[in-house]
Amino acid sequence: LHYRIYDVTVDWKNLPKNWTIQNSFSAGEMKQHFLYNERDAWRRTNWVAGDFRQYKGMVEGKPVWFALRGKWIFEDTTLFNIILHTVETQRKQWNDTDAGFYSVTLIPYIMPHKPVERDAQSLSLGYGLTKSFVTYADPDCLLDNFIDLFNHEMMHEWIGGKINQGNETEEVNMRWFAEGFTEYYALRNRWKAGFMTDAEFFKELNEEYFAGYYQSSYAEIPNLEAEERRWENFDLERLAYRRGCIVAFYLDCAVRKQFGNRKTLFNFMNDLMEFTYGTGRDLTTGYEFFTETLGEYLHNDANAWLDLHIGQGKKITPDEFKLPDFIQMKTIAGGVPQFSLTPNNTNAKALFQKD
């Protein structure tokens, strides 16, 4: 069934004259016809119709469409330019410049104002889907939040999309990977694409992820329990993002040190994509492949390491980090590791930005 070809025709009728159409396959076409053979990806398609404003741009000769509604504190074109730069840099990162049509949707929602306390991340949310992502945001959402949101959701085209983690089971839940590794690579992309400075990159890595995780009273909750309880509060909801991002950073540094920066965690990510994309396989049912392949990069028992730090939820102690010589670490109160580029190493930035 995975390789069955679906012949799809969509005929839009009787829509109001001021409505526009956009989805994961095209924009503005009242009748659509296409062949599709990726059943799982079909479930992740996005379809909208309504009084949207639409913009079209090109990245590597391929169309990118942006549909949005509502009033924002930025010009539409400001947001669209961020989207175009995000699409361009992430496609180059994944060597996926042949990808065709891409759709982005932004829809306003209203969050409660005072006396309800809000954090910055509650001002927006999104879903990375097939050849598209859809976002929802409060009209007060700031530009940095949009940059973060767009980069995170676009990254799901690969992590959680083409690298399919599969459906959770009673024994395996890989949300820490799908969200945490997405956080890490979206953060790196914002830095490499010029959306943030070196200082801003490490400030966010150190404060949001390392301090936010290590200082949390929930930091050492086992993975499956954390998933069961993630709707209880913000810290539990963010746990998979923070824990997964820290694990990704740890592994990236360890692989770089092991191979003298000739290989990075991104080599492992490409191995995972080759294993799942277009094959009908996923990382949950193929968890043995995940751990064995990772072990080949680490030269140790990756399954036992992941069980300790993901399954059981034990923090990675500062002395466990294996760092290349262009990354340095210090420890602050509470045993929280903090990282930066090694000073006086003029190549440190270029070396760490290499994937």
Side-chain angles (χ1 to χ4, degrees):
L1 286 175
H2 181 78
Y3 295 101
R4 178 179 174 182
I5 300 296
Y6 295 89
D7 190 332
V8 182
T9 299
V10 181
D11 198 357
W12 298 87
K13 296 181 179 180
N14 302 320
L15 293 180
K17 291 183 178 181
N18 65 328
W19 278 28
T20 56
I21 299 167
Q22 189 163 307
N23 51 59
S24 295
F25 301 97
S26 67
E29 297 182 10
M30 298 300 292
K31 189 168 186 176
Q32 300 173 259
H33 177 258
F34 50 88
L35 300 177
Y36 210 64
N37 69 344
E38 297 179 66
R39 185 179 58 184
D40 291 337
W42 170 260
R43 298 190 182 108
R44 300 176 62 248
T45 56
N46 175 43
W47 301 75
V48 295
D51 57 341
F52 289 87
R53 304 186 297 278
Q54 281 183 308
Y55 297 87
K56 178 185 178 182
M58 304 295 288
V59 173
E60 299 288 337
K62 306 295 183 180
V64 176
W65 283 80
F66 180 38
L68 77 165
R69 304 176 61 195
K71 295 182 179 180
W72 309 91
I73 57 178
F74 311 102
E75 297 291 333
D76 294 354
T77 51
T78 298
L79 297 174
F80 191 36
N81 286 334
I82 292 170
I83 289 167
L84 291 175
H85 191 43
T86 299
V87 172
E88 178 184 20
T89 53
Q90 290 201 19
R91 283 182 175 174
K92 287 181 178 178
Q93 164 80 24
W94 291 93
N95 193 26
D96 203 358
T97 55
D98 289 336
F101 178 88
Y102 198 79
S103 166
V104 178
T105 307
L106 174 60
I107 300 171
Y109 69 73
I110 306 300
M111 293 291 293
H113 288 260
K114 294 181 179 180
V116 178
E117 181 180 355
R118 300 184 298 169
D119 54 78
Q121 278 146 337
S122 71
L123 293 176
S124 61
L125 59 89
Y127 302 95
L129 303 167
T130 299
K131 296 190 293 185
S132 64
F133 64 81
V134 58
T135 54
Y136 304 85
D138 186 284
D140 292 336
C141 191
L142 301 178
L143 198 60
D144 282 347
N145 297 111
F146 277 119
I147 293 171
D148 182 9
L149 179 67
F150 293 159
N151 273 270
H152 180 96
E153 300 309 332
M154 173 93 195
M155 194 61 69
H156 277 311
E157 176 80 2
W158 295 277
I159 306 175
K162 294 178 179 179
I163 302 175
N164 178 15
Q165 82 270 17
N167 297 319
E168 63 185 69
T169 68
E170 292 183 0
E171 295 80 26
V172 180
N173 186 308
M174 297 197 67
R175 185 168 167 269
W176 61 270
F177 169 80
E179 296 297 352
F181 279 48
T182 294
E183 286 285 274
Y184 180 62
Y185 279 106
L187 178 63
R188 286 181 59 81
N189 192 74
R190 283 190 280 143
W191 179 37
K192 294 168 66 174
F195 288 123
M196 61 198 320
T197 65
D198 301 352
E200 289 168 337
F201 170 81
F202 282 100
K203 176 179 170 57
E204 186 164 335
L205 179 70
N206 289 326
E207 293 183 2
E208 164 59 24
Y209 297 98
F210 278 93
Y213 178 71
Y214 278 70
Q215 294 173 350
S216 170
S217 59
Y218 303 105
E220 294 198 313
I221 287 181
N223 182 51
L224 294 179
E225 180 184 348
E227 287 304 297
E228 290 176 358
R229 299 178 55 190
R230 66 188 173 107
W231 302 115
E232 290 183 14
N233 58 52
F234 176 75
D235 274 350
L236 281 169
E237 164 61 19
R238 286 290 293 169
L239 188 67
Y241 293 75
R242 289 169 171 162
R243 180 181 282 169
C245 181
I246 289 168
V247 166
F249 175 79
Y250 170 90
L251 295 174
D252 195 16
C253 288
V255 173
R256 289 172 188 272
K257 183 175 179 62
Q258 181 73 39
F259 290 92
N261 214 47
R262 296 185 304 277
K263 291 185 179 181
T264 73
L265 183 64
F266 198 68
N267 293 94
F268 172 64
M269 301 300 288
N270 277 294
D271 291 341
L272 298 181
M273 184 157 62
E274 184 177 348
F275 178 75
T276 65
Y277 183 48
T279 66
R281 298 183 296 222
D282 63 70
L283 299 182
T284 298
T285 57
Y287 190 68
E288 184 176 346
F289 172 86
F290 183 95
T291 58
E292 288 183 355
T293 305
L294 182 58
E296 293 172 5
Y297 284 94
L298 299 179
H299 293 179
N300 66 17
D301 186 350
N303 187 56
W305 190 91
L306 289 171
D307 179 65
L308 179 65
H309 295 295
I310 297 295
Q312 300 176 47
K314 301 300 181 183
K315 297 176 187 175
I316 306 170
T317 60
D319 61 356
E320 289 182 74
F321 282 88
K322 302 172 183 178
L323 301 175
D325 58 11
F326 47 84
I327 298 292
Q328 68 175 12
M329 178 185 68
K330 67 178 182 179
T331 305
I332 61 174
V336 180
Q338 302 279 274
F339 300 90
S340 62
L341 294 173
T342 302
N344 303 321
N345 185 335
T346 57
N347 294 323
K349 178 177 181 178
L351 289 168
F352 192 42
Q353 286 193 339
K354 171 186 176 294
D355 276 321

